[in-house]
Amino acid sequence: MEKLVIPEQDIINAICVYIARKKQVTPEEVEVELMYDDDTGFSAEAFVAGRKQVLITGNMIEALRMWLEEYLNRDPFSGIKLELDDEEGIIAIIR
């Protein structure tokens, strides 16, 4: 099976939908900033109504699983690996 690359904007979109469902707001009301740190790895900050929520890598993977299943009709338990790409930013590789 070919691998699928999910670009940074789609990762942000997946997190927006994920947070919107948890906070019972629309995805448009959520702002997301993706981050990478050599010590802590991948994370994201989500802002809703002026409040910040920090997501760790596991939360990001959970959001991507939801996105894969509902928006791409793919197996949500395929291998998902986050990578830092020099040109593309933070991407997800789906096996």
Side-chain angles (χ1 to χ4, degrees):
M1 181 177 260
E2 93 247 15
K3 68 178 181 179
L4 172 69
V5 177
I6 297 180
E8 187 170 274
Q9 186 59 54
D10 283 350
I11 296 171
I12 291 169
N13 293 345
I15 293 171
C16 285
V17 172
Y18 174 79
I19 293 295
R21 289 183 182 176
K22 290 195 173 293
K23 302 292 184 184
Q24 298 180 346
V25 297
T26 65
E28 293 79 19
E29 295 176 77
V30 182
E31 289 183 36
V32 172
E33 182 179 340
L34 301 180
M35 297 175 286
Y36 177 78
D37 181 271
D38 287 333
D39 294 327
T40 59
F42 295 97
S43 62
E45 289 181 346
F47 299 89
V48 179
R51 299 189 73 136
K52 177 174 83 170
Q53 179 174 344
V54 177
L55 289 84
I56 60 172
T57 304
N59 302 122
M60 296 170 69
I61 298 295
E62 188 177 347
L64 284 166
R65 284 187 173 142
M66 178 212 61
W67 183 263
L68 282 172
E69 183 174 37
E70 295 182 21
Y71 291 86
L72 301 179
N73 297 315
R74 300 275 302 242
D75 178 11
F77 296 102
S78 301
I80 300 173
K81 181 179 178 188
L82 295 173
E83 290 187 2
L84 184 60
D85 184 88
D86 290 337
E87 295 177 15
E88 303 291 324
I90 296 173
I91 59 172
I93 307 295
I94 314 300
R95 300 198 191 293

